[in-house]
Amino acid sequence: MKKLLPLLIFLLSFGIFAQDPEDFGIKETPITASNDTQSRISYAGPVVSINKTFEEAADSQNIPYRTFSGLENVENGYYIISGVFSEGKNLNKTVRKLKRKGFAESGFVTNPDNGLNYVYLTYYPFGLEAVDACVSKLDGTYTDTVWILEIENSMTIGGSSLAMLAVSETGSITTADTDEEDAETGHINENLISLAANAPRIYNTANKSKTIEKADAYFNKMWYAEAADLYEQALSKGEKYYTRDNLQKAADAHYFNTDMEKAHQWYNILYENYGKEMSEDNMFKYAHSLKGTGKYGRAKRLMRLYNRQTENGESVGLDNPKVMANEVVLDNILGSEEDYELKNMSINTKYSDFSPMFLDSNQIVFSSAKDSSFFKTRKYKWNDQPYLDLYVAEINAASQDLKNAIKFSKKINTKYHEASVAFSPDNRTMYFTRNNYGKRLKRDKEGVNHLKIYKSNKIGLEWTEGVEVSFNSNEYSTGHPALSPDGKLLYFVSDMPGSVGKSDIFVVDILDNGSFSTPRNLGPGINTEKREMFPFFNGAKLYFSSDGHTGLGGLDVFKATYDVEEGFGPVANLGKPINSNKDDFSYIVNDENHKGFFASNRAGGKGDDDIYSFKRPSIEEIPSNNNAIAGVITELITGDLIPKALVQLLDENGIKLKEMNTEDDGSFVFEDLDGNTKYTLKTIKGEFFDDERPIATLDNERVNVEISMKRLEDMIAVEEGIKKLKTEMIYFEFDKSKVRSDAAKELDKLVGVMKKYPGMAIKIESHTDSRGSRVYNEYLSDKRAKSTRDYIISQGIDASRIESAIGYGESRLLNDCNGTVACAEATHLLNRRSEFIIVRE
């Protein structure tokens, strides 16, 4: 998919602000020259020992670091970085603020290669001093996250770091090449990761040829087709151009154009040359390119390395059970293929055709990059294809093909992009995606042109000019509208503040007067840290595409069942043949006849993205019962697999139907179940909290679920020297003290811990925010504390084990929201809390 998608979809552009180091790929351990003079410096700090290198000291203390070389007018040394900024007033404002706080040496380092500014608190000439400073949090003067930027401007020239060698465990030297057989079995020579630590590195800024400079300019403008071609030209001239920046951008340019073969080629070379320096994003894209070329064994192995970098910001090891659980899901997807009938549509062109949507039972509206202009073809630089317009085609009911495609509406189509439509139930209102433009394209302060959702009404036979919806912004993108069958909910994709990942699915209510509620994120059950897009909701199921959930490569189509009371259930991959090792997206289906459409850039198509029709076998055509619920049980904190856990299958009335113990790999499966039926899964394991969750079967499909259990002892925490039982927030109705059902579930966990530790005694303290009178707040909090106590006693805890239950009102606020300053609701919420202090164990 040559990134009509990115432009229209997931590119959903991102501004750059001060962020954690993880957001910029700092989790990797960089490769630096081996003749580090620090290794011979004895320093008396608490971290350092004689002959310990900067890298060893930083790794041992889990301090992220990164190395830049060749920066002009920047002194060599080690900078303690507190934030990363683009150009703007926030940069200078932050530095001034740091200086006022006593960090007199603070400033920033600019990297012209990426245009970012790295704000530092202070500077040290030796790396071990910098590590020591981070460990001591600069003698307690700075408690937020920091990392170390090493500047090496004395460049080492010479040697051949490109003739890559790996050292085996026996100490012999072997070539680092991995043959296809190894790749398919999932073997990766892990010595590549630690490669070249002792080899001279080539940092030659002269290797920025005019071709590379031009390619960089195209890349920065997101003209990836032109950039990819120029990087290919430059890199073909020899390995002296194989710098990390050149290789990464060449790979990324192909990746954004969904040329996974080429992307894999350059990510592989990047990995072999700079494996230890690759960022989390590099590793993710490399693994995806492996899947995109069908190398699933090696992709799984690499994903373990990726998860080692990303899991909670810590090193979790290559045998991370959570990764293994994902592999179980992937193996299930690879091992099953449903009986779909697929057909490539006759209206497809050599360009990108995608995002079909039902206009009515006889017509489909879709997006296409074909351009019927006789005199001039308008192209954009992302992938050298014409701008997108909307087309309408007839459905041939007999052949399930599309025919007679014509442009949709002159009022809707413009000289820029239009795509991804949704129609109201009466077909008199439509929502669609378009570039943000007036008389010309509008850009944010970073120069990015975002996407927006527009609304149009049908008057007579004509559609009106599109009007922006109220939740659009010039600072982020919105797109991919999808309406619920009753027309009351509008789902869409955005990278707005509050997003879980690169692009998330949100929903708004369409109110009676035509206005919209505040957008709501569908949450981490649906959205991941990567991309979710192209929602389609039929009232019972949400279909969408993602590259964050476990899949076959690129974007895969997923579904989640919906219940009015319980919300969305577990996410399930549609599997093959709907999904492939390429991008599969914009899935729509008519559940009455089991027919629908989706788009894919899989092999065998007519052009870039093609629209396919599909027909699912009806229930009568399926010979056997394939209804099943399968899953993997892991520990919440460590991710360890949990064998021998008891899993019970209950009906809607809580009656046990089946039970089994999980296998050694934490897996279980209940088969031969009724289709489209609601059940409850209850998981029990001695030292863990019981896990109970609703789940529903689908017709002739296996529903996969991942269950993470929390240890009872994990609720015991020490805060400022005081031992407490930690629960989620205990909520009460406004101005009431009765324990709500959701609060009861949290208190039940607390009861479970107290039953495990029969000698434990607690005292309960309840607090309010500062709103309302001080006397009334104290009264209300005291009633809530005693109501909480009474509930705990009602669950079988002896009253003598609760030493006291006292409300303190607003006398112990956690912040400055005492009524003298304006505070957001979320800040007030921090003060409304109940605490359970352990006084005896």
Side-chain angles (χ1 to χ4, degrees), residues 59-73:
D59 289 341
S60 68
Q61 299 298 319
N62 294 320
I63 298 171
Y65 58 98
R66 189 174 184 180
T67 303
F68 287 161
S69 299
L71 301 186
E72 296 182 1
N73 302 318

Side-chain angles (χ1 to χ4, degrees), residues 672-689:
D672 298 320
L673 305 178
D674 294 332
N676 283 330
T677 302
K678 294 179 181 179
Y679 294 96
T680 296
L681 281 178
K682 184 174 183 179
T683 310
I684 304 169
K685 181 73 172 176
E687 63 272 28
F688 294 86
F689 290 106

Side-chain angles (χ1 to χ4, degrees), residues 541-558:
K541 300 183 187 75
L542 174 72
Y543 297 93
F544 63 96
S545 290
S546 170
D547 62 1
H549 294 281
T550 303
L552 298 178
L555 292 170
D556 272 20
V557 181
F558 295 84

Side-chain angles (χ1 to χ4, degrees), residues 48-174:
V48 181
S49 62
I50 295 176
N51 293 327
K52 199 166 196 179
T53 67
F54 160 67
E55 292 87 353
E56 290 170 342
D59 289 341
S60 68
Q61 299 298 319
N62 294 320
I63 298 171
Y65 58 98
R66 189 174 184 180
T67 303
F68 287 161
S69 299
L71 301 186
E72 296 182 1
N73 302 318
V74 181
E75 187 174 357
N76 288 351
Y78 300 82
Y79 296 77
I80 309 298
I81 304 299
S82 62
V84 185
F85 293 78
S86 61
E87 293 287 353
K89 61 181 181 181
N90 285 337
L91 172 63
N92 292 322
K93 181 179 178 181
T94 299
V95 173
R96 288 195 300 269
K97 186 175 180 180
L98 288 173
K99 289 183 181 296
R100 287 197 301 269
K101 288 185 175 182
F103 298 100
E105 296 181 354
S106 60
F108 60 88
V109 173
T110 301
N111 185 347
D113 288 342
N114 58 20
L116 298 180
N117 300 281
Y118 298 77
V119 173
Y120 59 88
L121 302 170
T122 188
Y123 155 87
Y124 294 92
F126 300 115
L128 299 184
E129 291 177 288
V131 171
D132 222 356
C134 289
V135 172
S136 69
K137 296 187 178 297
L138 281 73
D139 294 328
T141 60
Y142 196 85
T143 57
D144 291 341
T145 301
V146 295
W147 54 279
I148 299 174
L149 175 61
E150 178 186 13
I151 301 297
E152 285 186 334
N153 287 331
S154 55
M155 296 174 286
T156 303
I157 308 296
S160 179
S161 63
L162 301 174
M164 302 306 292
L165 300 174
V167 181
S168 71
E169 292 182 1
T170 61
S172 60
I173 296 179
T174 60

Side-chain angles (χ1 to χ4, degrees), residues 1 3 5 10 255 258 260 284-294 296 299 530-533 544-558 573 579-585 600-601:
M1 183 179 56
K3 291 320 161 225
L5 288 185
F10 49 81
Y255 182 89
T258 327
M260 289 301 175
F284 177 84
K285 290 175 184 172
Y286 182 25
H288 254 252
S289 72
L290 285 164
K291 284 200 237 178
T293 51
Y296 292 106
K530 299 302 177 182
R531 303 172 298 180
E532 280 68 46
M533 56 196 69
F544 63 96
S545 290
S546 170
D547 62 1
H549 294 281
T550 303
L552 298 178
L555 292 170
D556 272 20
V557 181
F558 295 84
N573 189 296
N579 289 319
S580 67
N581 62 345
K582 301 295 184 182
D583 286 315
D584 308 290
F585 56 101
S600 178
N601 66 339

Side-chain angles (χ1 to χ4, degrees), residues 163-461:
M164 302 306 292
L165 300 174
V167 181
S168 71
E169 292 182 1
T170 61
S172 60
I173 296 179
T174 60
T175 62
D177 294 333
T178 303
D179 60 28
E180 190 64 21
E181 181 178 353
D182 286 340
E184 287 306 302
T185 58
H187 173 74
I188 285 183
N189 189 335
E190 290 161 17
N191 287 314
L192 292 176
I193 284 290
S194 58
L195 235 160
N198 297 314
R201 301 307 304 275
I202 299 176
Y203 294 107
N204 190 348
T205 55
N207 290 340
K208 281 278 186 181
S209 65
K210 289 185 177 180
T211 303
I212 290 291
E213 290 177 354
K214 189 174 182 180
D216 287 348
Y218 284 154
F219 187 93
N220 292 336
K221 291 180 179 180
M222 295 182 288
W223 296 358
Y224 294 118
E226 284 78 0
D229 183 60
L230 291 173
Y231 286 126
E232 288 286 338
Q233 293 179 34
L235 295 174
S236 68
K237 294 180 181 179
E239 294 182 349
K240 67 179 181 178
Y241 294 101
Y242 282 22
T243 66
R244 177 187 173 190
D245 187 62
N246 291 348
L247 292 172
Q248 177 180 315
K249 287 180 177 176
D252 284 351
H254 288 299
Y255 182 89
F256 290 138
N257 278 316
T258 327
D259 187 342
M260 289 301 175
E261 293 288 348
K262 280 290 188 181
H264 164 254
Q265 172 190 335
W266 293 115
Y267 283 132
N268 195 56
I269 294 174
L270 177 68
Y271 181 81
E272 291 176 352
N273 284 271
Y274 302 94
K276 199 174 181 181
E277 296 177 74
M278 286 178 69
S279 69
E280 297 166 11
D281 189 56
N282 293 156
M283 296 286 277
F284 177 84
K285 290 175 184 172
Y286 182 25
H288 254 252
S289 72
L290 285 164
K291 284 200 237 178
T293 51
K295 299 176 176 63
Y296 292 106
R298 190 172 185 185
K300 288 197 293 186
R301 188 65 171 169
L302 192 74
M303 283 304 290
R304 292 191 182 189
L305 297 176
Y306 166 76
N307 277 271
R308 178 175 62 179
Q309 290 183 330
T310 62
E311 190 73 24
N312 297 323
E314 299 176 358
S315 294
V316 296
L318 295 180
D319 293 324
N320 177 10
K322 288 188 178 179
V323 184
M324 295 172 67
N326 290 338
E327 290 181 13
V328 172
V329 176
L330 179 56
D331 288 339
N332 286 338
I333 298 169
L334 291 169
S336 62
E337 184 166 353
E338 297 206 25
D339 186 20
Y340 284 83
E341 179 184 331
L342 303 186
K343 177 177 289 187
N344 188 294
M345 298 292 91
S346 60
I347 52 90
N348 287 323
T349 67
K350 68 178 181 178
Y351 297 113
S352 186
D353 306 283
F354 68 102
S355 204
M357 181 54 64
F358 297 112
L359 176 58
D360 52 40
S361 59
N362 301 310
Q363 297 181 95
I364 288 287
V365 174
F366 66 98
S367 307
S368 178
K370 69 180 180 180
D371 193 329
S372 59
S373 171
F374 182 79
F375 294 104
K376 185 178 180 181
T377 298
R378 295 172 288 106
K379 295 183 178 181
Y380 65 93
K381 296 295 186 177
W382 179 282
N383 60 0
D384 200 30
Q385 292 199 10
Y387 277 87
L388 293 165
D389 277 331
L390 296 175
Y391 291 77
V392 60
E394 300 173 18
I395 302 174
N396 186 326
S399 64
Q400 191 63 5
D401 201 352
L402 297 177
K403 61 181 182 179
N404 301 331
I406 59 173
K407 285 200 172 183
F408 178 67
S409 168
K410 292 182 179 179
K411 291 282 189 180
I412 303 300
N413 288 326
T414 67
K415 63 181 179 179
Y416 296 115
H417 287 295
E418 283 79 32
S420 301
V421 300
F423 295 96
S424 62
D426 61 3
N427 278 343
R428 306 303 295 181
T429 302
M430 70 175 290
Y431 298 88
F432 63 95
T433 308
R434 177 188 283 165
N435 298 92
N436 177 19
Y437 86 101
K439 294 182 179 179
R440 57 185 181 133
L441 288 175
K442 297 179 181 179
R443 303 183 184 276
D444 66 10
K445 60 186 178 182
E446 304 295 335
V448 175
N449 172 247
H450 293 282
L451 306 176
K452 288 187 174 182
I453 294 175
Y454 291 78
K455 175 183 176 181
S456 174
N457 296 313
K458 194 172 187 179
I459 300 178
L461 298 177

Side-chain angles (χ1 to χ4, degrees), residues 618-636:
S618 64
I619 295 176
E620 292 76 16
E621 296 173 324
I622 301 175
S624 60
N625 180 359
N626 296 317
N627 302 321
I629 296 174
V632 178
I633 313 295
T634 59
E635 184 178 340
L636 177 64

